[in-house]
Amino acid sequence: MPAPSQPSPRWRPWLIAAVPVLPPLYLAAFGALGSLRRLSAPVRGLLFFFAASQVAAALFTPRPLESLLLTGGRTLYILAMIAAGVYLQDSRHLRPLLWGQLLIFVTAWGYTLITQGFAGVLARLGHPYYYVVSLGLVAVVSLWLVLFWSGGRLWWRVAAGLLALLTLLAAGSRGPTLALIFGSLAAVLLAGRRGTRRWVLLPLGLVAASVLIVSSLNLPANPVTRLLNDQTSGRNFIWADAYAAWQTAPLGGVGPYQGGPYLTYLFKDGCQLTPTLEASQVSCPQWLTTFSSAWLIAHNAWLHWLMETGVIGLAGLLALYGYGLWAAARSRDPFLIAVLYSYTAMNVVDVVIAVPSQHFAELWWVALGVSVWRVQAAAAAQTGLAAAQTPGLSRPGSPG
C-alpha cells in the first residue's frame, strides 16, 4: 500500500525552482533513494534488472574496470532521479521548475543581445551553458508547465508562455519542435481531459503560424526558417560511426562516456564549448580538453546506448523505458505524458535522456518516477475501494 503524501517542506519548491539555473542541485535527489522502497516488488525487480544489465554490460567493454566505475555512478544517479519522482508523487510539485527556466530564457536573451546584438538573435539565440537544442527543449517543457498549470492567473501564464514560445522560435531547433508535436499529440490522445484537448495544441498552432508568416514574407529570421530544413546536419555520419563503434564490442559496448573517440565525425573538431561562448571568443580551456569527448553523443538515444552498453545494457534500458511510457499513459497526467512521449520522439535525432545534463535529461527520469508512483497509487486505491465494497472485507473481523 503506497504511503500517504507528506506535507511539502518549505525549501522544496525553492530547490526545484533553482535546479535549471544550478543543475548540480539535482544531487539532492540522492537523499530520496529510500523512496524506492515504497514501490511494489515487481517494479523494484524491474529497476534491479535495469541496474544489473548496466553493470553486466560494463564487464564486456574494452576497459571493464573504468566502465564499472562510470556505470555504477550513472546508474545510481538515474535511480536517484526516479526515486525523486517517487518522493514527489505528483507532477504538480514540478511546477516551480518554470521559474528557473524563465530565468534561463531571460539570461539567454540578455547574453545574446549584449554580446552579439540583435543580429545574434536573428542568427540563432544561445545561452552560455545551455546548448541551443537544450534551450529549445526546456522552452517546450515550459510551455507545457504553463498549459497544464490549473488555477494559475491568466496574465502571468500568457507572459510566461510567450517568453517560452519566443525562445523556442529564436533557438530554431528542429528536435524540440518535433518534441512539441509528438508530446502535444500524445497529451491529446492519452490524457483524456477536455481542457487538455482544447489548449494543448495552441503552442503548436502558433509555431506553425510563425513559420508560415516568416517563410511567405521572406523575413530575415534564420532560426524560424531553419525549422523547415529537412537535412540531417551530418547525423548520418554520426550514426554510422556509432554503429561501427558498437560492432567493436557488441555485448557490452565501448563503455559509458567513452564513445567520443569512436564518433570521428564529431571528435575531429576537438574540444568545443557552446556556440554562444564560441561566438564570444571564449575557447575551451586546456584542462577540459582531456574530458571533452565524454559529452559527444550519437544523436540517437537507442544507438547511443547500444554503442556505450551493447545489447545487454540496451535491453535493460528498453525494459524500463517501455514501462515508463506505459505508466505515463495509465496516469492520465497530461504533463507526464507530454514529457515522456516528446522526449521519445526527440531521442530519434538526439540524446535527451543521458545524464548528467543541464537539467532536461534528469527531468525525464524524475517524470518516469512520478508516473510509476501514480500508477501504483491508483492500483492501491482501486484495491482498497474494491475491498470496501465487498461484503465481509469492509472491516477486519467481519463475518465471511
Side-chain angles (χ1 to χ4, degrees), residues 187-222:
V188 168
L189 296 174
L190 301 176
R193 297 182 182 180
R194 293 181 180 178
T196 300
R197 294 177 185 275
R198 184 172 57 194
W199 294 109
V200 73
L201 297 179
L202 178 60
L204 189 57
L206 292 175
V207 169
S210 300
V211 172
L212 179 62
I213 293 172
V214 169
S215 59
S216 61
L217 298 179
N218 292 321
L219 298 177
N222 293 332

Side-chain angles (χ1 to χ4, degrees), residues 88-104:
L88 292 175
Q89 301 185 7
D90 198 303
S91 65
R92 289 177 297 178
H93 295 141
L94 293 171
R95 289 175 179 174
L97 284 173
L98 179 62
W99 310 122
Q101 292 176 172
L102 292 177
L103 183 57
I104 291 297

Side-chain angles (χ1 to χ4, degrees), residues 160-186:
L162 285 176
L163 178 57
L165 183 64
L166 289 174
T167 301
L168 173 62
L169 291 171
S173 296
R174 292 167 295 170
T177 305
L178 182 69
L180 178 64
I181 294 171
F182 279 86
S184 301
L185 293 177

